[in-house]
Amino acid sequence: MKNSSKMPAVNGKISIAPSILSADLCHLGKDVARVASAGADWLHVDIMDGHFVPNLSFGPALVRSLKANTDLPLDVHLMVTNPRNFIEPFAAAGADLLTIHAESQDDTIQTLKAIADLGVKTGVSIKPDTNPAVLKPLTDYIDLVLVMTVYPGFGGQAFLESSPAQIRSVRQIIQASGKQIWLEVDGGINAKTAPLAIQAGADALVAGHAIFSSADPELALKQIRQANPEI
């Protein structure tokens, strides 16, 4: 049975996906409900295999539980060496978007096709040191590009100064493709760095600590969106 993705098409507004890596896992349901009521657009779920990045995180069971308890689209980021081993379990669990890394070992285009065949939206992520040109052959197969503005693996890192230039390069590749592709940015996003990412071309932002640690998540979301005059 195919997944039925709830991920929206690019809509000209800034979407924010709080990362549950920064949530209180003992009170995850409460934290998710809190950010949803505050106006979050998606929920970002980082999956790490302890090999592609030096950390372990969540499995399909958590995604299945989230799917049953929130209406937010589930933006699932596979930081894994062999994503082909993970896409079917996470699609079955309810992922609305599966993002794989251009640096992973499996054939990227074939993996993206397999994700699409499962009825799930497709994404490709690049690390801070990866040349954005790797995305050019992929634009026919993706719904989203995720630009990492920290080195992936752990939450709470600082936004890299080199990031705006990379975001601008990715935006140029998307524009040249003529496709409607989300440009998402993840890493060190807060009220100070969000304008840098948005002005460089981002239209979706992943933020963890800045939202989940805030006493007022609604205010935190508004502050992160502040560089977009339409919000």
Side-chain angles (χ1 to χ4, degrees):
M1 180 178 178
K2 273 195 173 185
N3 179 308
S4 182
S5 175
K6 295 191 296 184
M7 284 296 297
V10 177
N11 54 26
K13 295 186 177 181
I14 302 300
S15 289
I16 301 180
S19 171
I20 66 167
L21 201 61
S22 296
D24 180 350
L25 296 184
C26 286
H27 302 94
L28 182 58
K30 181 179 177 180
D31 273 6
V32 167
R34 190 164 161 255
V35 298
S37 65
D41 300 286
W42 314 339
L43 202 62
H44 192 80
V45 186
D46 288 308
I47 307 302
M48 309 179 199
D49 64 357
H51 185 261
F52 185 78
V53 293
N55 196 7
L56 287 166
S57 61
F58 312 116
L62 182 67
V63 171
R64 186 175 297 107
S65 180
L66 289 169
K67 190 71 171 182
N69 289 280
T70 182
D71 291 328
L72 292 177
L74 300 181
D75 168 19
V76 178
H77 178 193
L78 297 178
M79 289 180 270
V80 300
T81 300
N82 297 107
R84 285 300 293 268
N85 295 336
F86 291 80
I87 60 174
E88 289 191 18
F90 280 100
D96 294 290
L97 169 80
L98 284 171
T99 296
I100 64 172
H101 267 266
E103 306 89 357
S104 68
Q105 290 184 3
D106 292 336
D107 182 280
T108 302
I109 290 177
Q110 293 305 314
T111 303
L112 292 168
K113 286 181 177 179
I115 293 170
D117 286 345
L118 293 168
V120 179
K121 297 295 184 182
T122 59
V124 169
S125 182
I126 56 172
K127 295 181 181 181
D129 294 336
T130 298
N131 188 332
V134 302
L135 299 168
K136 291 181 179 179
L138 307 177
T139 55
D140 284 341
Y141 306 97
I142 54 178
D143 300 294
L144 176 145
V145 174
L146 173 57
V147 176
M148 295 300 301
T149 46
V150 298
Y151 292 97
F154 295 90
Q157 299 182 64
F159 185 88
L160 294 168
E161 292 183 3
S162 59
S163 299
Q166 192 178 45
I167 297 167
R168 284 192 291 271
S169 295
V170 173
R171 173 52 65 192
Q172 290 171 357
I173 291 169
I174 290 173
Q175 288 176 334
S177 76
K179 306 289 184 181
Q180 292 294 308
I181 297 171
W182 287 101
L183 200 172
E184 185 176 39
V185 171
D186 182 3
I189 295 296
N190 54 41
K192 292 183 178 179
T193 58
L196 300 175
I198 295 169
Q199 290 162 14
D203 46 25
L205 302 172
V206 176
H209 181 77
I211 296 174
F212 280 111
S213 67
S214 174
D216 188 343
E218 185 174 359
L219 177 61
L221 285 161
K222 287 180 179 178
Q223 290 174 335
I224 290 170
R225 286 190 175 104
Q226 65 189 350
N228 181 9
E230 296 183 5
I231 300 299

